[in-house]
């Protein structure tokens, strides 16, 4: 999907930066990267762009190379907890990241934009090694950090959360209001460190006692820079919208209040933003109605509410708290499709034939009244034949929805839609809001019913807007780049399965089917996920690879996603016949908005994931010493990453804990092998481990293998050495 040269730029740079890259001319490189013949001209254009920009150079026999490292490198500094660090260069060079010894960081901190001079530090294996010295901090990265207040003798300091900053921050003039040991605080650096010194900061906010769920949630909100308060102007506008709303004043809207329409949501949901209807047309076709809360009616473009929503970009859903994109007076009130209440919607009506192929789409502004609010489990019970207590029309609608969803799912899978088996868990809290367990998330088919209908509506709206030649924010998901395809194909072969480097949707589906139910299932699904490029918001005409969709956007959640709100505004003008009068979109502004919304979505996902891990780690402190079966999900030259499936959290088994041996790491095959013992640990293997410790501040789970688990692993026939390997002696 997509034939622009930009598709190959990052892939080429990554390929040339690989440790095992051997100089190739453009045609050879294209073959090695699996570029299809029909794409070669586009690939060649990408090479030309890189050459013109000086990001690649030609060597002997027209071989493509990254430029040699210069006398100065400018980039971002990343510090290791052990004191040394690396400068990640802005412009990749053939030497990679620049090593910075502990005494040469010039007072730089992780995230700082720096300039470093480069010197040679000798050879290893015939290859010249380089080191750097940071001579200037061009721009400081972060000045505020969240961490835990501590005291050592007479010195107070804050231990930052996570791995972004590995050094403590000294704080002075601590008062009772500032906090006490083990309090979570926000600290701002006021004195950046000189070489060999620690930074100095002041506490600007006390969050509460470490370990409390509400406090840890607030700490993550602050750490990720999430806005949790609305402007006074936005709140006032929201109140005016609520006060003036009258569902009976629906001039120009299609009245659906007499139709059988229902919502299906989690039991604890409060913002019901989608509802479903389904009608049989009597000619072998059916019409699906997907009704989405009309948020654009209450959020005028360019107003205070719109400004706050645009800045946030998305709602963030934590275990015990939501940071909403819109004030809850809207999201949980007039924009929520509550049972028995008239609400404004944007509706997509999609007519299907007997094979669930869409034949016609109509978009409309409507007023609806939900006839029933169901949970996923309640709807599943109806599908399973347990219909007591429900009106016949509700039972009939739910079962018709299931039948249509299964046909849609089959059609989409036949077209190549991918479904990764990556399980999720739900945290269980006690009356004090402490995590006491984690259980698998509900897997009822009714989740798939709603998912299929939302995907269909999103696709139908994108098709409609595209047919009108309007630029809009799409949800794009480019095909895996060729390098990632080759890497995962090699890993999959090492696991005993097949996947061609130029993988198609059908190749991936066949692989996922072949590993279903096997120990390697999670590792292979995760490897496939990692080959995917990140989905993003953009007006570029690129489809959605995972959904096998040529044109896709987000339309179904304007309560919680800003891109959906922008699409709703276009749909409103389409329904009113004014779309052609709307000025063309400013493409620069639309691209910038897409990038901002993509960043907001990634930030929200990162915050949600971090808090989940923090709460599980807090829970696992009470299980130090206990044993679990884990699955190896990654291998590195410093140890094995092992996931505990019960809690879906990864821990690290360090190399010394594997035993006395020369450990050979083959990243391509995803395995670690003992030179003397022949013992082998491979991604996907089950490994019995014991929880050795929990580092809450660093978000780390430390594991050690059970002695019997290591001793009983049978030696495997020695595998042929891969090119990309490292060897370490560990005792």
């Amino acid at each position: 999907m997509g034939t622009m040269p930009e598709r190959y730029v990052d892939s080429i740079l990554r390929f040339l930066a690989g440790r095992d890259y051997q100089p190739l001319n453009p045609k050879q490189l294209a073959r090695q990267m699996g570029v299809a013949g029909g794409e070669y001209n586009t690939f060649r254009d990408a090479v030309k762009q890189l050459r013109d920009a000086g990001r690649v150079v030609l060597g002997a026999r027209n071989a493509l190379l990254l430029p040699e490292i210069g006398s100065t490198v400018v980039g971002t500094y990343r510090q290791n907890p052990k004191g040394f660090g690396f400068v990640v260069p802005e412009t990749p060079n053939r030497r990679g990241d620049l090593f910075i010894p502990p005494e040469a960081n010039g007072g730089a901190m992780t995230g700082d934009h720096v300039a470093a001079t480069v010197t040679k530090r000798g050879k290893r294996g015939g290859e010249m090694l380089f080191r750097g010295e940071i001579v200037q901090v061009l721009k400081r990265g972060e000045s505020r950090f969240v961490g835990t207040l501590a005291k050592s003798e007479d010195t107070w300091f804050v231990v930052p959360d996570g791995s972004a900053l590995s050094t403590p921050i000294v704080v002075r003039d601590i008062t009772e209001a500032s906090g006490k040991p083990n309090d979570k605080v926000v600290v701002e650096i006021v004195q950046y460190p000189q070489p060999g010194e620690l930074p100095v900061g002041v506490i600007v906010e006390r969050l509460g006692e470490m370990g409390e769920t509400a406090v840890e949630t607030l700490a993550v909100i602050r750490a990720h820079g999430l806005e949790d308060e609305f402007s006074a102007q936005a709140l006032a506008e929201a109140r005016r919208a609520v006060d003036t709303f009258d569902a009976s004043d629906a001039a120009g809207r299609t009245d659906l209040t007499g139709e059988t329409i229902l919502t299906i949501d989690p039991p604890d949901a409060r913002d019901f933003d989608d509802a479903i209807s389904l009608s049989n047309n009597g000619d072998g076709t059916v019409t699906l109605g997907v009704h989405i809360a009309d948020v654009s009616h209450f959020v005028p473009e360019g107003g205070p509410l719109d400004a706050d929503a645009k800045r946030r970009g998305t709602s963030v859903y934590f275990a015990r708290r939501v940071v909403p994109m819109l004030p809850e007076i809207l999201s949980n009130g007039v924009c929520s499709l509550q049972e028995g209440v008239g609400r404004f919607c944007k509706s997509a009506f999609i007519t299907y034939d007997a094979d669930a192929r869409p034949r016609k789409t109509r978009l409309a502004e409507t007023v609806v009244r939900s006839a029933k609010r169901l949970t996923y489990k309640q709807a599943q019970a109806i599908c399973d034949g347990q219909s007591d207590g429900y009106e016949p029309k509700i039972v009939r609608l739910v079962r018709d929805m299931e039948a249509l969803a299964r046909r849609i799912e089959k059609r989409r899978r036949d077209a190549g839609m991918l479904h990764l088996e990556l399980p999720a868990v739900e945290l269980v809290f006690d009356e004090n809001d402490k995590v006491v367990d984690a259980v698998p998330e509900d897997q009822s088919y009714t989740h798939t019913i709603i998912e299929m209908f939302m995907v269909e509506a999103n696709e139908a709206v994108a098709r409609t807007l595209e047919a009108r030649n309007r630029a809009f924010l799409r949800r794009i998901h480019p095909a895996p780049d060729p390098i990632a395809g080759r890497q995962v194909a090699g890993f999959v072969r090492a696991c005993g399965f097949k996947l061609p480097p130029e993988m198609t949707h059908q190749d991936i589906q066949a692989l996922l089917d072949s590993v279903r139910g096997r120990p390697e299932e999670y590792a292979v699904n995760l490897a496939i996920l990692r080959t995917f490029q990140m989905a993003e918001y953009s007006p570029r005409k690129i489809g959605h690879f995972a959904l096998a969709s040529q044109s896709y956007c987000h339309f179904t959640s304007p309560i919680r996603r800003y891109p959906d709100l922008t699409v709703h505004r276009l749909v409103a003008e389409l329904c009113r016949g004014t779309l052609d009068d709307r000025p063309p979109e400013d493409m620069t502004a639309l691209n910038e908005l897409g990038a901002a919304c993509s960043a907001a979505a990634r930030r929200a996902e990162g915050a949600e994931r971090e808090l989940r891990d923090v709460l599980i780690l807090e829970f696992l402190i009470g299980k130090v010493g206990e044993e679990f079966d884990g699955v190896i999900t990654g291998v590195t030259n410093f140890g094995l990453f092992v996931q505990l499936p019960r809690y879906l959290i990864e821990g690290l088994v360090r190399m010394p804990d594997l035993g006395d041996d020369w450990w050979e790491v083959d990243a391509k095959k995803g395995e670690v092998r003992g030179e003397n013992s022949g013992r082998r640990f491979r991604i996907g293997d089950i490994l019995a481990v014991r929880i050795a410790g929990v580092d809450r501040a660093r978000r780390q789970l430390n594991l050690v293998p059970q002695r019997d688990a290591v001793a009983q692993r049978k030696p495997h026939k020695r595998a042929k050495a891969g090119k990309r390997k490292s060897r370490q002696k560990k005792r």
Side-chain angles (χ1 to χ4, degrees), residues 396-519:
R396 185 166 54 253
L397 174 54
V398 170
R399 291 176 180 170
D400 288 346
M401 287 167 57
E402 180 189 16
L404 176 60
R406 290 191 183 278
R407 295 200 302 275
I408 290 173
E409 184 181 21
K410 180 182 184 304
R411 186 202 88 222
R412 298 197 71 95
R413 294 213 175 192
D414 288 346
M417 182 183 71
L418 303 174
H419 177 73
L420 297 178
E421 292 291 345
L422 295 170
V425 295
E426 183 178 343
L427 302 182
V428 179
F429 293 84
D430 65 12
E431 63 277 5
N432 298 314
D433 258 2
K434 291 284 189 181
V435 174
V436 294
D437 203 357
V439 297
E441 279 192 347
D442 176 37
Q443 296 296 309
S444 300
Y445 187 76
T446 43
H447 288 276
T448 303
I449 293 175
I450 298 302
E451 178 188 351
M452 288 297 99
F453 292 168
M454 298 303 109
V455 167
E456 289 287 292
N458 288 334
E459 193 173 64
V461 170
R463 284 197 308 265
T464 302
L465 292 176
E466 187 172 88
R468 299 297 294 264
N469 294 316
R470 295 301 308 200
F472 59 98
L473 275 188
R474 302 165 184 263
R475 184 64 169 171
I476 67 171
H477 184 220
D481 69 62
I483 293 178
R486 292 175 62 84
Q487 290 174 340
V488 77
F491 163 68
V492 166
R493 283 196 300 272
C495 291
F497 302 96
K498 293 182 179 180
L499 184 68
E502 297 179 32
M503 52 187 178
T504 66
H505 290 88
Q506 287 69 31
D507 294 327
I508 298 174
Q509 286 177 326
L511 171 65
L512 298 178
D513 288 341
S514 67
V515 300
R516 188 167 290 116
R518 299 175 61 106

Side-chain angles (χ1 to χ4, degrees), residues 128-204:
M128 182 61 67
L129 301 178
F130 296 84
R131 55 164 280 173
E133 179 179 357
I134 294 175
V135 293
Q136 186 179 3
V137 176
L138 303 173
K139 184 179 179 181
R140 290 292 181 179
E142 295 289 341
S143 61
R144 285 197 175 195
F145 295 88
V146 176
T148 304
L149 187 60
K151 186 179 183 182
S152 177
E153 298 180 348
D154 293 329
T155 301
W156 288 86
F157 56 92
V158 174
V159 180
D161 288 344
S163 57
L165 182 63
S166 58
T167 57
I169 301 169
V170 175
V171 289
R172 303 187 177 115
D173 300 326
I174 297 298
T175 65
E176 186 173 332
S178 303
K180 59 184 185 298
N182 292 326
D183 273 357
K184 284 284 184 185
V185 297
V186 181
V187 60
E188 181 161 356
I189 294 176
V190 295
Q191 181 180 319
Y192 288 92
Q194 296 299 313
E197 296 181 351
L198 295 176
V200 177
V202 295
I203 293 174
V204 295

Side-chain angles (χ1 to χ4, degrees), residues 630 632 640 658 663 671-672 677-688 705-716:
I632 298 175
L640 309 176
L658 294 179
W663 293 105
E671 70 177 23
V672 174
S677 65
R679 289 177 297 179
R680 186 174 71 177
F681 299 90
R682 191 180 68 181
I683 291 177
D685 284 351
I686 305 296
L687 182 65
Q706 287 302 97
R707 191 176 301 274
D708 291 344
V710 174
Q712 291 175 7
R713 292 197 65 79
K714 297 179 181 180
H716 297 265

